[in-house]
Amino acid sequence: PKIQNKDAADQNNGFFSRFGAREIVFMLISFLFAIVIWVYVLNVENPTREKIVRDVKLSFSGEERLNSNQKLTIKGDRSTLLTNATVVINVPANLYSEIKAESIIAELDLSGITTPGEHTVKVTARVQGSSDVSIVSISPAEVTVDIDVKRERMLPVEIRYYGGMPEGYWRGGVSLTPSSITLVGAASELGLINNAAVEIDLENTTDSIYESANIVLYDKDGNEIDASKFTGDLLYTTVQMDVLPTKTVPIDVMGSLVG
């Protein structure tokens, strides 16, 4: 009986062993078959898939025409207008992983604007180098842009001193190159500029000054104005000022009179 039981156990082990091998072979064949089907679907059928692409940079188009033809310009802070967009696209499966935020151009077209005031501009988008990708949606779909008359204004550069000269030193007059600047921008924003000034620190100054300095724009209340709103001249000037030590010299009054 023990020998019969052992033979039976050996037969059962062999059966399961053969069954396991067949199962593994079947799984491998199925896996290879699935790969073949997947390759066929990607390269022959190539179905489209929906993809959400975030952080697409917005830009302006048609701005040159707005400036030159219409004599108009954008008013306000551009960075608040050119926020990143989210674009939903339909893309072929074989291109799905290749389409990035950098692949998409999203624009606000200003070429159709002919009057100052607020305008709602539709955001358009396209994918560079691929005609097989279609745009499903864009967020934001539109942006409100404030347009103003384009103007040019020349401003003299003032000099502001702060701090005091060290004892025993003298300063000469200041020469600025350039001594005035010309800015281009929205008429209403240019009108807010009260003056343009360069600051010179006299504290602990014992050597002559010959250096480049920033020009700062101020309103009538003395608040600094964001210069990025304007184009035209660069807001820099070269400051030249002589600084020399002083010397006390006695004066012979009687000698001078007699002489």
Side-chain angles (χ1 to χ4, degrees):
K2 291 183 179 179
I3 294 175
Q4 291 179 354
N5 290 338
K6 183 178 183 301
D7 292 340
D10 291 340
Q11 290 177 2
N12 290 335
N13 291 335
F15 172 77
F16 287 115
S17 177
R18 289 192 301 274
F19 178 78
R22 286 196 300 270
E23 190 175 51
I24 291 172
V25 171
F26 179 76
M27 290 174 62
L28 290 173
I29 293 173
S30 300
F31 180 71
L32 292 174
F33 187 66
I35 292 176
V36 171
I37 293 176
W38 178 247
V39 171
Y40 172 81
V41 169
L42 286 180
N43 293 281
V44 180
E45 297 296 329
N46 199 21
T48 59
R49 297 175 59 188
E50 188 172 277
K51 181 175 183 176
I52 300 174
V53 184
R54 307 183 191 278
D55 298 325
V56 177
K57 294 186 180 299
L58 279 177
S59 61
F60 290 116
S61 65
E63 188 172 5
E64 183 177 350
R65 179 178 178 182
L66 180 76
N67 295 160
S68 59
N69 293 4
Q70 308 300 335
K71 306 302 179 185
L72 300 173
T73 188
I74 301 164
K75 178 182 176 181
D77 187 356
R78 292 166 176 255
S79 62
T80 61
L81 299 174
L82 299 177
T83 57
N84 288 346
T86 298
V87 181
V88 181
I89 59 175
N90 274 332
V91 55
N94 63 340
L95 297 177
Y96 189 90
S97 61
E98 297 181 11
I99 305 299
K100 311 289 184 183
E102 297 76 17
S103 309
I104 301 176
I105 297 175
E107 296 177 322
L108 295 168
D109 186 6
L110 307 176
S111 60
I113 298 176
T114 58
T115 58
E118 289 191 348
H119 295 265
T120 300
V121 182
K122 184 179 179 182
V123 180
T124 60
R126 67 182 188 276
V127 179
Q128 301 182 77
S130 179
S131 58
D132 297 330
V133 180
S134 60
I135 306 297
V136 177
S137 65
I138 309 170
S139 178
E142 55 189 23
V143 175
T144 299
V145 181
D146 197 359
I147 301 297
D148 198 357
V149 177
K150 181 182 177 182
R151 288 286 184 266
E152 182 177 285
R153 183 181 175 188
M154 188 183 73
L155 296 161
V157 180
E158 300 177 3
I159 302 169
R160 290 186 176 183
Y161 300 102
Y162 62 97
M165 291 292 297
E167 187 177 351
Y169 285 87
W170 165 91
R171 67 170 180 83
V174 177
S175 172
L176 299 179
T177 307
S179 58
S180 64
I181 55 172
T182 299
L183 299 179
V184 179
S188 58
E189 292 180 328
L190 282 172
L192 296 176
I193 303 174
N194 184 67
N195 62 301
V198 61
E199 296 184 339
I200 299 177
D201 183 9
L202 300 178
E203 194 74 26
N204 300 322
T205 300
T206 57
D207 295 319
S208 295
I209 298 174
Y210 187 80
E211 60 186 23
S212 178
N214 293 333
I215 299 172
V216 183
L217 307 177
Y218 295 96
D219 64 16
K220 63 179 182 178
D221 297 320
N223 300 312
E224 187 173 338
I225 295 176
D226 181 9
S228 65
K229 299 177 181 179
F230 311 107
T231 58
D233 291 338
L234 296 175
L235 295 182
Y236 295 94
T237 187
T238 300
V239 179
Q240 186 172 2
M241 182 180 75
D242 290 330
V243 176
L244 298 170
T246 60
K247 182 179 180 180
T248 301
V249 180
I251 298 176
D252 184 1
V253 177
M254 293 305 295
S256 298
L257 293 174
V258 172

